Amino acid sequence: MREQRRHRATARLPGARERDFEAYVAGAAGRLLHAATLLTTEHPGRAPRAQALLTAALGATYARWDRLHGEDPYDLTRRELATRFARAAWRFHRPRGGVLSPLTPPERLVVVLRLYEGVAEEQAAALLGLPVERVRATCTRSVAVLRRTPAARDAARDAARATGKAGAP
């Protein structure tokens, strides 16, 4: 009860909302931008579409900032990022040379949510409106495709050499 009163009191301070949001963005923007870059398959240094996608997702989070009521803002921004990418996925289908460029936009979305963001299969399925089995199958198939790419084979070979494992590919 005291914390609710304190929260209401700090919410009324001039600039508190902006400071809180700026602190959130400072902590989360790097990881979210990397996720957006993976989705759009742009190179990390030059990712205008990923930056636009993240800006729109952060704008939606800021619009709902005062109504979060204990909801995780990172989760909200991640959902917003995934939703906005899914709506505009046809724009991001052309490979741009990123790590996930061999995948289709829905496959990239599943891989980023499951493997990069660590979202559980059930949560990813609910977010995407798909059955859990489909999310699992898409993730498995996507990882198999990525393992067949030359860059993935080179990375696996280099990692095996670095660890000193014999019989590496």
Side-chain angles (χ1 to χ4, degrees):
M1 185 77 147
R2 269 191 193 150
E3 289 186 34
Q4 288 177 348
R5 286 185 202 147
R6 187 178 305 136
H7 177 68
R8 286 184 201 142
T10 58
R12 286 187 219 127
L13 292 174
R17 176 184 193 215
E18 289 79 13
R19 282 193 304 275
D20 290 346
F21 186 74
E22 286 175 9
Y24 161 69
V25 170
R31 184 167 175 88
L32 289 166
L33 180 59
H34 188 71
T37 302
L38 288 172
L39 289 171
T40 60
T41 70
E42 294 174 305
H43 292 285
R46 302 165 302 196
R49 289 182 176 90
Q51 289 174 345
L53 194 62
L54 177 59
T55 300
L58 287 171
T61 301
Y62 183 72
R64 293 186 53 196
W65 192 256
D66 289 335
R67 299 175 304 213
L68 287 177
H69 303 297
E71 188 179 355
D72 182 17
Y74 187 85
D75 187 46
L76 175 66
T77 308
R78 181 177 52 214
R79 279 194 321 254
E80 208 41 61
L81 189 70
T83 302
R84 287 176 183 275
F85 174 76
R87 279 191 216 135
W90 60 272
R91 294 183 205 154
F92 303 112
H93 187 62
R94 289 176 306 212
R96 295 184 188 350
V99 176
L100 302 181
S101 62
L103 304 177
T104 65
E107 291 170 336
R108 288 195 303 256
L109 188 53
V110 168
V111 167
V112 168
L113 287 174
R114 288 284 298 124
L115 303 179
Y116 180 72
E117 288 292 321
V119 176
E121 284 179 348
E122 295 80 13
Q123 289 176 311
L127 176 65
L128 300 172
L130 299 172
V132 175
E133 296 79 20
R134 178 132 181 229
V135 169
R136 185 179 303 126
T138 301
C139 189
T140 303
R141 186 175 55 249
S142 300
V143 169
V145 167
L146 291 173
R147 285 183 178 155
R148 287 192 301 260
T149 62
R153 283 195 304 264
D154 293 345
R157 185 187 64 235
D158 293 344
R161 285 181 184 162
T163 58
K165 291 187 178 179

